[in-house]
Amino acid sequence: MIFTRKNKSKIILGALIFTSLCLLWEHLNGGVITHHLLAREDMPGISNWWGLLTIPALTWISFSLIHKRQRQNPELEKTIISRFIAAYVFGLIASILWELNLDEILPFYILLPLPIAFFIPLHRPEYLLGFVLGMLFTFGGILPILVGLVLTFLCFCLYKLVRIVKSLF
């Protein structure tokens, strides 16, 4: 079993190392990026250095929620891992679209989870963590969390809305 208390610190350390490697790459290739609000230079900026704090914190919170859910149903482990990988690939593709300057496709792609959320609970913590780690290399440790939290909230609302409407009929 991966999601045990003994493995918690190892997984958080792994997230910290992954974040550190991304930041090292940025540092050695022109400096660590600062993202400005609304992509305007006159607005305050958020440095990717914050990822050293936010990514391990997100990993800790996600792991804790996953561990709690898995204790209730130990057979969830493979499902959780496949969800994490799917979200990681989704975030990675979003990063690739950005890096290839396919900005016109990205807004449609990033909203793709919303119609899927009618049928699948995409608001689980493994989805958020995978999405954020997939986007870490391109967008740092703050922007993916903000975008991911908004998407997670919207997916939660859509998923629950369908169940509420279904219960009325």
Side-chain angles (χ1 to χ4, degrees):
M1 302 230 320
I2 292 175
F3 302 104
T4 61
R5 288 187 187 266
K6 288 170 40 175
N7 289 341
K8 189 175 192 175
S9 59
K10 293 176 187 174
I11 291 174
I12 294 169
L13 181 62
L16 179 63
I17 290 170
F18 181 62
T19 305
S20 299
L21 290 173
C22 290
L23 287 170
L24 179 64
W25 175 262
E26 277 186 39
H27 179 71
L28 296 175
N29 289 288
V32 176
I33 299 170
T34 297
H35 300 277
H36 294 276
L37 297 176
L38 304 174
R40 291 179 37 192
E41 294 288 327
D42 61 328
M43 298 291 281
I46 301 170
S47 173
N48 283 353
W49 284 112
W50 279 101
L52 290 173
L53 179 65
T54 60
I55 297 299
L58 177 67
T59 305
W60 177 72
I61 292 167
S62 297
F63 188 92
S64 297
L65 293 171
I66 291 168
H67 178 67
K68 181 179 177 183
R69 205 169 77 236
Q70 189 189 15
R71 278 188 303 171
Q72 297 168 352
N73 185 357
E75 297 160 5
L76 277 178
E77 186 167 39
K78 288 182 181 178
T79 304
I80 291 169
I81 292 170
S82 63
R83 289 174 177 172
F84 171 81
I85 291 171
Y88 181 83
V89 170
F90 181 81
L92 196 61
I93 291 171
S95 294
I96 291 169
L97 289 173
W98 178 265
E99 292 292 333
L100 296 176
N101 292 322
L102 297 172
D103 302 343
E104 63 277 355
I105 298 172
L106 191 56
F108 299 105
Y109 177 77
I110 209 77
L111 295 176
L112 189 60
L114 296 181
I116 297 170
F118 285 116
F119 310 104
I120 299 172
L122 296 179
H123 57 275
R124 305 273 189 215
E126 58 268 21
Y127 286 116
L128 177 62
L129 184 61
F131 174 75
V132 169
L133 290 178
M135 295 182 76
L136 179 66
F137 184 75
T138 300
F139 296 104
I142 297 287
L143 290 179
I145 292 175
L146 296 176
V147 171
L149 285 173
V150 170
L151 278 174
T152 300
F153 175 74
L154 292 173
C155 287
F156 174 78
C157 291
L158 291 173
Y159 185 77
K160 292 299 181 181
L161 177 68
V162 168
R163 271 95 200 127
I164 291 170
V165 170
K166 186 178 176 182
S167 71
L168 295 175
F169 296 105

PDB file of all heavy atoms in Angstrom, residues 160-169:
ATOM      1  N   LYS A 160     -22.342  17.606  -8.065  1.00  0.00           N
ATOM      2  CA  LYS A 160     -23.417  17.596  -7.065  1.00  0.00           C
ATOM      3  C   LYS A 160     -24.730  18.088  -7.659  1.00  0.00           C
ATOM      4  O   LYS A 160     -25.797  17.584  -7.300  1.00  0.00           O
ATOM      5  CB  LYS A 160     -23.032  18.452  -5.853  1.00  0.00           C
ATOM      6  CG  LYS A 160     -21.894  17.867  -5.047  1.00  0.00           C
ATOM      7  CD  LYS A 160     -22.255  16.509  -4.485  1.00  0.00           C
ATOM      8  CE  LYS A 160     -21.137  15.940  -3.660  1.00  0.00           C
ATOM      9  NZ  LYS A 160     -21.428  14.630  -3.111  1.00  0.00           N
ATOM     10  N   LEU A 161     -24.675  19.045  -8.556  1.00  0.00           N
ATOM     11  CA  LEU A 161     -25.880  19.562  -9.189  1.00  0.00           C
ATOM     12  C   LEU A 161     -26.629  18.461  -9.930  1.00  0.00           C
ATOM     13  O   LEU A 161     -27.853  18.344  -9.819  1.00  0.00           O
ATOM     14  CB  LEU A 161     -25.536  20.707 -10.150  1.00  0.00           C
ATOM     15  CG  LEU A 161     -26.706  21.297 -10.937  1.00  0.00           C
ATOM     16  CD1 LEU A 161     -27.644  22.037  -9.996  1.00  0.00           C
ATOM     17  CD2 LEU A 161     -26.190  22.223 -12.026  1.00  0.00           C
ATOM     18  N   VAL A 162     -25.913  17.658 -10.663  1.00  0.00           N
ATOM     19  CA  VAL A 162     -26.535  16.545 -11.391  1.00  0.00           C
ATOM     20  C   VAL A 162     -27.215  15.589 -10.420  1.00  0.00           C
ATOM     21  O   VAL A 162     -28.332  15.123 -10.678  1.00  0.00           O
ATOM     22  CB  VAL A 162     -25.489  15.803 -12.248  1.00  0.00           C
ATOM     23  CG1 VAL A 162     -26.031  14.494 -12.772  1.00  0.00           C
ATOM     24  CG2 VAL A 162     -25.020  16.684 -13.379  1.00  0.00           C
ATOM     25  N   ARG A 163     -26.580  15.296  -9.294  1.00  0.00           N
ATOM     26  CA  ARG A 163     -27.171  14.380  -8.321  1.00  0.00           C
ATOM     27  C   ARG A 163     -28.395  14.985  -7.663  1.00  0.00           C
ATOM     28  O   ARG A 163     -29.364  14.287  -7.353  1.00  0.00           O
ATOM     29  CB  ARG A 163     -26.142  13.976  -7.264  1.00  0.00           C
ATOM     30  CG  ARG A 163     -25.372  12.746  -7.684  1.00  0.00           C
ATOM     31  CD  ARG A 163     -24.081  13.123  -8.361  1.00  0.00           C
ATOM     32  NE  ARG A 163     -23.554  12.030  -9.170  1.00  0.00           N
ATOM     33  CZ  ARG A 163     -23.225  12.183 -10.445  1.00  0.00           C
ATOM     34  NH1 ARG A 163     -23.419  13.309 -11.064  1.00  0.00           N
ATOM     35  NH2 ARG A 163     -22.701  11.200 -11.120  1.00  0.00           N
ATOM     36  N   ILE A 164     -28.387  16.295  -7.420  1.00  0.00           N
ATOM     37  CA  ILE A 164     -29.551  16.959  -6.829  1.00  0.00           C
ATOM     38  C   ILE A 164     -30.721  16.939  -7.793  1.00  0.00           C
ATOM     39  O   ILE A 164     -31.847  16.602  -7.419  1.00  0.00           O
ATOM     40  CB  ILE A 164     -29.187  18.399  -6.401  1.00  0.00           C
ATOM     41  CG1 ILE A 164     -28.216  18.379  -5.220  1.00  0.00           C
ATOM     42  CG2 ILE A 164     -30.447  19.187  -6.047  1.00  0.00           C
ATOM     43  CD1 ILE A 164     -27.623  19.724  -4.882  1.00  0.00           C
ATOM     44  N   VAL A 165     -30.451  17.295  -9.037  1.00  0.00           N
ATOM     45  CA  VAL A 165     -31.511  17.289 -10.045  1.00  0.00           C
ATOM     46  C   VAL A 165     -32.032  15.879 -10.248  1.00  0.00           C
ATOM     47  O   VAL A 165     -33.252  15.656 -10.360  1.00  0.00           O
ATOM     48  CB  VAL A 165     -30.993  17.891 -11.380  1.00  0.00           C
ATOM     49  CG1 VAL A 165     -31.997  17.680 -12.503  1.00  0.00           C
ATOM     50  CG2 VAL A 165     -30.666  19.364 -11.211  1.00  0.00           C
ATOM     51  N   LYS A 166     -31.159  14.909 -10.265  1.00  0.00           N
ATOM     52  CA  LYS A 166     -31.559  13.502 -10.450  1.00  0.00           C
ATOM     53  C   LYS A 166     -32.453  13.041  -9.285  1.00  0.00           C
ATOM     54  O   LYS A 166     -33.394  12.290  -9.484  1.00  0.00           O
ATOM     55  CB  LYS A 166     -30.307  12.629 -10.543  1.00  0.00           C
ATOM     56  CG  LYS A 166     -30.587  11.190 -10.868  1.00  0.00           C
ATOM     57  CD  LYS A 166     -29.291  10.421 -10.996  1.00  0.00           C
ATOM     58  CE  LYS A 166     -29.541   8.949 -11.240  1.00  0.00           C
ATOM     59  NZ  LYS A 166     -28.287   8.206 -11.324  1.00  0.00           N
ATOM     60  N   SER A 167     -32.153  13.479  -8.069  1.00  0.00           N
ATOM     61  CA  SER A 167     -32.946  13.064  -6.910  1.00  0.00           C
ATOM     62  C   SER A 167     -34.348  13.684  -6.924  1.00  0.00           C
ATOM     63  O   SER A 167     -35.263  13.173  -6.292  1.00  0.00           O
ATOM     64  CB  SER A 167     -32.222  13.417  -5.621  1.00  0.00           C
ATOM     65  OG  SER A 167     -32.224  14.813  -5.419  1.00  0.00           O
ATOM     66  N   LEU A 168     -34.508  14.798  -7.637  1.00  0.00           N
ATOM     67  CA  LEU A 168     -35.824  15.432  -7.729  1.00  0.00           C
ATOM     68  C   LEU A 168     -36.769  14.669  -8.646  1.00  0.00           C
ATOM     69  O   LEU A 168     -37.987  14.809  -8.532  1.00  0.00           O
ATOM     70  CB  LEU A 168     -35.673  16.873  -8.221  1.00  0.00           C
ATOM     71  CG  LEU A 168     -34.922  17.829  -7.292  1.00  0.00           C
ATOM     72  CD1 LEU A 168     -34.753  19.185  -7.961  1.00  0.00           C
ATOM     73  CD2 LEU A 168     -35.627  17.963  -5.964  1.00  0.00           C
ATOM     74  N   PHE A 169     -36.223  13.894  -9.544  1.00  0.00           N
ATOM     75  CA  PHE A 169     -37.067  13.163 -10.501  1.00  0.00           C
ATOM     76  C   PHE A 169     -37.145  11.748 -10.144  1.00  0.00           C
ATOM     77  O   PHE A 169     -36.993  10.857  -9.887  1.00  0.00           O
ATOM     78  CB  PHE A 169     -36.541  13.339 -11.934  1.00  0.00           C
ATOM     79  CG  PHE A 169     -36.624  14.759 -12.393  1.00  0.00           C
ATOM     80  CD1 PHE A 169     -35.495  15.556 -12.474  1.00  0.00           C
ATOM     81  CD2 PHE A 169     -37.845  15.306 -12.746  1.00  0.00           C
ATOM     82  CE1 PHE A 169     -35.559  16.857 -12.910  1.00  0.00           C
ATOM     83  CE2 PHE A 169     -37.919  16.604 -13.185  1.00  0.00           C
ATOM     84  CZ  PHE A 169     -36.789  17.380 -13.260  1.00  0.00           C
TER      85      PHE A 169
END
